[in-house]
Amino acid sequence: MSFALDERLAADALIVGDMTLTRVLLMNDARWPWLILAPRRDGVVELTDLDAADRTQLIEEAASAAGFLKAHTGAHKINIGTLGNVVRQFHLHVVARTVGDPGWPGPVWGFGAAVPRDKGETRTLVEAARAGLGID
């Protein structure tokens, strides 16, 4: 099976690289350090569409992404969630939150308009994520 990333995810985020199961993306929103994990499996809409081994791998990759964000940003809380109401393709959000961030303590979804990242900040964060997640 081939893998194609949803067009909206591709438009809203930058590719960091691939882990064993997921394509790792950096959301292009400077308000929050925000990674998205999209399993590289066609036709996956729900978590339950992944087999047991892939679900286990997803949790491990989410834990790695969360650990990286926590260490890299000093976040007070890591939010991990999936909605899929706008983008049908299954993907998992991993968002670093800090007390006093623009949406604290509410959710990041639907809070104002995204603020595009500065190119230098983007490059630095993508390189740090690649190193921190062991992505070549």
Side-chain angles (χ1 to χ4, degrees), residues 68-92:
F68 160 73
L69 285 173
K70 183 112 175 157
H72 184 76
T73 68
H76 298 113
K77 180 73 175 104
I78 301 294
N79 292 170
I80 298 176
T82 181
L83 297 173
N85 297 341
V86 175
V87 174
R88 185 169 163 80
Q89 180 179 46
F90 182 82
H91 58 287
L92 187 73

Side-chain angles (χ1 to χ4, degrees), residues 5-136:
L5 186 63
D6 181 274
E7 292 176 5
R8 176 132 181 199
L9 287 176
D12 291 346
L14 303 134
I15 295 174
V16 173
D18 292 339
M19 293 172 60
T20 301
L21 174 66
T22 61
R23 172 135 318 143
V24 180
L25 310 165
L26 172 65
M27 186 70 164
N28 189 14
D29 189 342
R31 298 173 297 169
W32 298 284
W34 182 342
L35 297 175
I36 298 170
L37 308 180
R40 290 179 288 121
R41 302 286 188 264
D42 278 346
V44 176
V45 175
E46 306 295 346
L47 176 65
T48 54
D49 294 336
L50 294 169
D51 65 28
D54 281 350
R55 287 193 304 268
T56 298
Q57 185 64 36
L58 177 65
I59 292 300
E60 291 305 315
E61 293 182 18
S64 292
F68 160 73
L69 285 173
K70 183 112 175 157
H72 184 76
T73 68
H76 298 113
K77 180 73 175 104
I78 301 294
N79 292 170
I80 298 176
T82 181
L83 297 173
N85 297 341
V86 175
V87 174
R88 185 169 163 80
Q89 180 179 46
F90 182 82
H91 58 287
L92 187 73
H93 298 268
V94 184
V95 187
R97 302 297 305 273
T98 304
V99 173
D101 73 29
W104 186 266
V108 297
W109 293 279
F111 184 86
V115 176
R117 292 185 184 284
D118 169 84
K119 288 182 181 181
E121 175 192 4
T122 298
R123 188 177 323 107
T124 299
L125 190 49
V126 166
E127 289 172 6
R130 285 180 180 149
L133 298 173
I135 296 172
D136 295 330

